[in-house]
Amino acid sequence: MPTLMANGMQLIICLHDRYELDDDAYYDKYIKRGGLQAFYNHPQAQAVFDWRLAYIVSHVNPSMGNRTWYQIPEAIYAFEIQNEAQADSSVTSLMPAQRNPRWWCDRATSLRGVIGFNSPILISTGGGKGFSDSIVDENFECPAIDVIALHSYDSDITVYRPAIDLAVKKAKLNEKIVILEEFGAVGKAETKADWISRVSTIAREAGINWLPWEVSKPGGGSDFDFYVNDTAAWHALSNAASTLPADETELKKRDDGNPWAGVSSFFLYAYSIDDQAEILGNLQSAGVTKIRIFLTSIGAGSKNSNCNEVNDLESNDVGDYDDTILTMIDQLLQTMASGNYGIKLLICMHDRYQLDDSWGCDGYCTKFIQSMDVRSLDGFYKNSDAIAAYDARLQHIVNFTSSFIDDSGQNKTFGQLSDLIYAFEIQNEGQADGNGDQTPNGLHYSVDDGDRNWWCDRATTLKISEVWHTDSGIKISTGGGKDFYSSDLSENFNCGALDIVALHSYDDASQFGDTLSSIKQKADSNSKEIIFEEFGATGSPDSKAGLINQGSSAAQNAGISWLSWQVSKPGGNEGDYDYYINDESAWSALTSAASGSPQRRDAPTVSMIARDNAFSPPAWAGVNSYFLYSYPANEQISMFQTLQQANITVVRVFITSISAGTKGADNIQVHDLEESGVGTWNDKILMLVDDMMKRAEPFGIKFIICMHDRYMLDQTWGGCDGYCSLYVQPAGSLDGFYKNATAIQSFDARLQHIVSHTSSNFAGKAWAQLSNVKTVFIAVHSF
């Protein structure tokens, strides 16, 4: 691996070859007696194969710091489940009804539980024997699979483009990567050369990467293999590889350009954790996948909200960093991660309107603008000292140490959190005119007065700095201009360091469509992503709804992503642009527009479902703390913090009677759900559990809820609940509970009552819908 890395290469490691099943240990144990279906369909064979995969990826490499293979993403691009799984051979085959279309996904889900849920190493199918066996719908729909590999040795060149186009279409709908992993020709070097050239061109034009079969030293044979001495074939390989488009074929690029729907909620981090979770949940339900926030001073109660006050990173003086705001953003990211909302942030690292007292005056305002004899934004945008200080600010933000831990136990920086951060933005509406009716203290300025290369210079300086992680996948955006004119700068489209050109406009919505379409053409020709990042309206919810519809429709028609301005709880302010769920028509417009965006969700590294169902080495570590809900709230939070630091992600609790001071704890007395009688529900215990789940959510902790304790049936521990007194004591045996139809019916009603309990903390959902906070229900502890 070190040799490979020294030459700028990575491996795709296929963990098994299907054709070995004709004569290996799996054949002897399963296939000889039960046929090939015994391997692909038998649970024991699947479990043993999962262990094989886990064993391989857990191999320790002594030359790479004694790391396991799954901890070496710089050397390994992807693990593949099996080469050409379920393919027919001359020895064994499967009837159509014997095929298992879920097999790849089940194996990938198990494997993802081993390599980690934030691992940048991808999981690939390994391809099928031909296009039809490679393009399996269940694989495109599987959250744990990242790469769909295509194989074909068809000699008819006309079949390649339609098949690849079909795979790419399915991949875009499901946010997957497609690679043409096997193709080739036998015969002379010239024959191989011609086939490499023709097929690689088709793959390149379809925007996917390719791997011909196969390079093997010494080459020179009539088989598919070739090497440098097969001059024509090697020349064709070199020529095809040198013409790869830079952006379209970057396999690690998870956000592949499909338009998405977003909103600005610029001080979301200043809300309470409960409000954050509520807002995120509502936005998730609406189909929103991106949220834009600002690093800027926020006053307590801004926009009639319950938000907390927070100072800017450099409110006091330039370079004097107050990291409180970054810590609050880190907490927001934790809330996002624990809730599995499928949402990412665009983090705007400064607001231009803090430079001249338009909406505030921060450290840059005081030091570089207000101190001038004649106030001018040139003091910031054209001052080398200010520019150097601002570059340091951007690097400080990207390099901020988060509370997220990597596989080696080290804290990640913001710049490594690609699962949660979509882009960093240079500045909100840089070089904009700040003087207006509502901002009389603001200074007049424009991009024509300033430096049109300023955004590119900032992005370039950031990307070449030591703090930037080039493999993270996080993008850099301009942050937009005040209008289309100041957003649409050729210098930004021509800048290699800028990934996104953001567009803002509050002008006549009838002009949106033509303008966005025109700018999209420029973006395509310069391989840039554009987003319509700010648009909105004041007035009634109906007025806001109309503008949301117009702006989102124009963006969708142009094939670009959009973010409306802006979501803020509680909303209801007709004098401002913000809105929330109580502004029903506006929220309905957001939901309708977002549901029409092709990319409803960013593909997570792996879904929570995949994590919780993962087989083999444990996907999580947990503890029992059966009466945790009876502790005081502050002690619960303290325990969650401690458990989080210990990497505990699951806690098991019981629905059962608890005495005050149990085991010397400072807990309260809690009665069982049916302590006063079977079918007589006392929901106090469920309300306590519900409150506990809400407190645990920011810490990424989920619960196994045991819905009854068998030992309450016969006073084993001194307790005798309703079932004990009604069924067991009269019968003198546990048969009175376990074999009594009436008791069984009553107990079933208990279980149904628990799972359908209406949560007061999670938008009125039933507990059975809270997959983000509970892992599983257990009917009874011990029986």
Side-chain angles (χ1 to χ4, degrees), residues 707-722:
M707 295 185 282
H708 189 261
D709 184 5
R710 165 262 178 272
Y711 299 108
M712 296 302 291
L713 292 175
D714 60 359
Q715 296 182 300
T716 300
W717 300 116
C720 180
D721 63 10

Side-chain angles (χ1 to χ4, degrees), residues 27 66 107 146 157 166 207 230 320 336 366 382 413 416-417 433 441 459 463 537 550 586 597 619 717 741 752:
Y27 176 82
N66 286 320
R107 307 290 71 73
D146 305 295
I157 194 68
L166 175 62
D230 301 293
D320 181 10
M336 292 166 57
T366 303
K382 296 182 178 180
T413 66
Q416 295 172 293
L417 301 181
D433 190 340
N441 294 325
K463 279 197 171 179
Q550 288 178 290
S597 291
W717 300 116
Q752 293 169 27

Side-chain angles (χ1 to χ4, degrees), residues 48 55 78 81 148 233 235 241 557 616 641 654 673 678:
V48 172
Y55 182 84
I81 303 301
I148 306 296
H235 178 74
N557 290 337
S616 210
Q641 291 173 331
F654 291 6
L673 179 64
V678 172

Side-chain angles (χ1 to χ4, degrees), residues 63-81:
S63 62
M64 301 288 287
N66 286 320
R67 287 182 288 168
T68 61
W69 279 8
Y70 67 78
Q71 295 174 323
I72 313 176
E74 64 270 35
I76 299 174
Y77 177 73
F79 291 119
E80 294 200 317
I81 303 301

Side-chain angles (χ1 to χ4, degrees), residues 2 6 18 41 198 234 349 445 451 612 615 695 740 745:
R18 170 264 175 269
N41 292 295
R198 295 169 72 189
W234 195 262
M349 297 185 281
Y445 208 69
D451 179 1
D612 293 339
F615 174 84
R695 296 185 187 107
N740 182 328
Q745 184 179 20

